[in-house]
Amino acid sequence: VDKTLHLDITDPGIGFPMERQVELFKPFTRIETAKGHLFGGVGLGLPIAKHVVELHNGHIQVQSEEDKGSTFTIVLPIEDRLQKS
């Protein structure tokens, strides 16, 4: 039995270039697409999300394609906390 929770978050936005996706989870990274779109913010949201997910023994990954959007997948273990009497 698979005891993991899979959560997909999809953004139908402009997507990220493949060669820059590994940088998304680095603090203070700002990504510019080939078409000159610069993503705003200071680059802390995804690194914080990754850290929180990893604190819960999970992982986060991204699948993205420019002009088609991105899907972030969070996988977390589910602990069976019910005890039999």
Side-chain angles (χ1 to χ4, degrees), residues 24-74:
L24 289 173
F25 299 101
K26 293 179 182 176
F28 304 109
T29 298
R30 297 183 69 188
I31 306 276
E32 184 174 347
T33 68
K35 294 184 178 182
H37 295 109
L38 181 63
F39 296 93
V42 295
L44 289 175
L46 288 173
I48 290 170
K50 181 177 188 255
H51 181 70
V52 170
V53 168
E54 288 176 348
L55 284 174
H56 289 30
N57 298 316
H59 66 273
I60 185 171
Q61 60 192 37
V62 62
Q63 290 183 327
S64 185
E65 188 175 338
E66 280 193 89
D67 298 322
K68 295 192 178 186
S70 306
T71 298
F72 293 85
T73 301
I74 297 170

Side-chain angles (χ1 to χ4, degrees), residues 1-7 57 59 73-80:
V1 176
D2 184 16
K3 291 194 174 193
T4 57
L5 169 70
H6 294 248
L7 177 63
N57 298 316
H59 66 273
T73 301
I74 297 170
V75 180
L76 294 168
I78 298 173
E79 294 182 23
D80 187 6

